[in-house]
Amino acid sequence: MVMPVSPSHALMPITPRPSFIPVRGEGSYLFAADGAKCLDFIQGWAVNALGHAAPEVTAAIARQAGQLLTASPALFNYPALELAERLVALTGLNHITFCSSGAEANEAALKLCRKWGARHRAGAFEVLSTDNSFHGRTLATMALSGKSGWDVMFPPQPPGFRKVPFDDVEAMRRAITPSTVALCVEPIQGEAGVVVPKPGYLKALRALCDEAGLLFVLDEVQTGFGRTGSMFAFEAAGVVPDILTLGKGLGGGVPLSAVVTHSRAGYFNVGEQGGTFHGNPLACSAAMATLDVLTAPGFLEAAQESGQYLAAGLQRLALKHGGSWRGQGLLQALILPAPRAPEIVSECLLRGLLLNAARPHILRLMPSLRVTHEELEIGLNCLDSVLTEQLARARAS
Ligand SMILES: *Cc1c(COP(=O)(O)O)cnc(C)c1O
């Protein structure tokens, strides 16, 4: 299944990478040059909402590439104008600006928080976020993130960030000081291993923000665009954020992100924000083709149903092998009874299934929103046999 390659000496070793090198993708599958195929339950880390080489997205990209890739971020372009209108309508918020990555969108959100704090909270600029959260890899978004070890990497850390335990409203309440300007959370912690808060958590944080006069920032870079069953996780939670960040699935595979604000949180004025590639026509066209599919009648309901099917399968595996399951929509995790996730991921890849080890004892699954029951069944069966072997090995050692 795996093509042997010599390690590259030019690419920095930023992450351990397997020797499987995909050269082509189609729907839920990736193919290597030798024809080896792999069922992809990562999809670029929840990026390819519609799977690989979705015909609608491919056609839109080809069409736009033949017309206009990038003119200038200082000129309007029709795809960005139209996408902005559509996203504002879809989110129920008021203002939007585009960026190219999730980290940049969160960085922009932080700038807006500081701007608002300077105006409305006597210069307060501290943002409260949660332990184990993930918001990106720029210096400020690393400081916003609650990943262990990141607080001491690349010192000094930018000031103005404090963490509290996730899914703990009282801890958040206690952490608020006159220096606090905003609370920022993921509706479901993705990178931490699909940590789903108790029902009512986001509503309670929203109420806390209203009570204390703070901005409520939701990072939906991973949970947005149907990933958790609804278009956005905040809709299912029954809350409206002041600032919303989007990315990953938005571009349907192309780099695109956005920060969307409610009027009360304000917006950027001339000179405060920008980026060479921000809102380029190519990325915006890919996003609109993706949105056309996501908003078609019945599409999200079908994706949600696939999520329930996957959840039922993972529950069966948890019952059989020990451990547990959690998740929402097509963002799911299997919690293992032993810390064998990296070994299980390697063995699954050898057998043609791509999974993510979010933590040593957590497997994360983010299939295409178009994944079929048959594909889910193939993946679950493969995982089942690998779990049998690997957990027996863990017990023996
Ligand atoms: C992936 C992710 C980010 C960062 O997005 P990049 O495009 O990698 O910069 C931020 N927040 C969340 C919740 C994410 O899952």
Side-chain angles (χ1 to χ4, degrees), residues 4 14 18 22 57 66 70 80 144 149 160 176 180 182 215 218 226 234-235 264 272 276 286 322 330 334 359 391:
I14 59 167
V57 180
T70 294
L144 176 67
I176 295 170
T180 310
L215 292 178
L218 276 185
F234 75 77
E235 297 169 293
R264 64 181 161 260
E272 294 176 338
T276 305
L330 283 164
L334 187 65
R359 287 290 184 276
L391 293 176

Side-chain angles (χ1 to χ4, degrees), residues 3-84:
M3 192 174 71
V5 287
S6 55
S8 163
H9 296 288
L11 272 180
M12 294 189 195
I14 59 167
T15 185
R17 292 183 170 115
S19 55
F20 175 77
I21 302 181
V23 295
R24 188 172 72 79
E26 191 182 325
S28 286
Y29 284 94
L30 285 170
F31 300 86
D34 67 356
K37 87 175 183 179
C38 184
L39 186 56
D40 182 2
F41 282 2
I42 293 181
Q43 290 291 346
W45 297 41
V47 161
N48 311 306
L50 308 180
H52 294 285
E56 301 88 345
V57 180
T58 306
I61 290 173
R63 205 181 321 113
Q64 188 61 48
Q67 285 177 8
L68 186 64
L69 284 177
T70 294
S72 158
L75 292 173
F76 280 126
N77 72 73
Y78 285 108
L81 284 166
E82 189 185 334
L83 182 62

Side-chain angles (χ1 to χ4, degrees), residues 251-277:
V254 169
L256 182 65
S257 66
V259 57
V260 201
T261 68
H262 191 280
S263 305
R264 64 181 161 260
Y267 49 84
F268 288 121
N269 282 310
V270 172
E272 294 176 338
Q273 174 67 2
T276 305
F277 294 110

Side-chain angles (χ1 to χ4, degrees), residues 100-104 106 134-137 186 219 221-222 248:
S100 301
S101 69
E104 274 180 296
N106 284 327
F134 180 79
H135 299 291
R137 289 176 178 274
E186 301 159 80
D219 177 349
V221 169
Q222 186 159 153
K248 293 201 163 96

Side-chain angles (χ1 to χ4, degrees), residues 317-332:
L317 292 181
L319 264 180
K320 177 172 169 185
H321 298 281
S324 59
W325 148 91
R326 66 188 178 210
Q328 204 170 295
L330 283 164
L331 183 60
Q332 302 276 346

Side-chain angles (χ1 to χ4, degrees), residues 326-376:
R326 66 188 178 210
Q328 204 170 295
L330 283 164
L331 183 60
Q332 302 276 346
L334 187 65
I335 320 304
L336 303 168
R340 299 287 280 197
E343 293 86 349
I344 289 166
V345 165
S346 300
E347 186 57 32
C348 282
L349 182 58
L350 288 174
R351 299 183 192 196
L353 173 66
L354 193 55
L355 300 175
N356 166 243
R359 287 290 184 276
H361 63 295
I362 301 176
L363 295 172
R364 180 170 50 155
L365 298 89
M366 305 155 273
S368 157
L369 301 187
R370 273 177 164 159
V371 69
T372 65
H373 285 191
E374 194 194 350
E375 289 162 350
L376 289 172

Side-chain angles (χ1 to χ4, degrees), residues 288-338:
M288 277 195 286
T290 306
L291 272 188
D292 286 342
V293 177
L294 293 181
T295 54
F299 183 89
L300 287 182
E301 288 78 359
Q304 191 159 39
E305 198 277 329
S306 302
Q308 281 157 6
Y309 190 89
L310 174 60
L314 291 174
Q315 273 173 294
R316 275 199 309 278
L317 292 181
L319 264 180
K320 177 172 169 185
H321 298 281
S324 59
W325 148 91
R326 66 188 178 210
Q328 204 170 295
L330 283 164
L331 183 60
Q332 302 276 346
L334 187 65
I335 320 304
L336 303 168

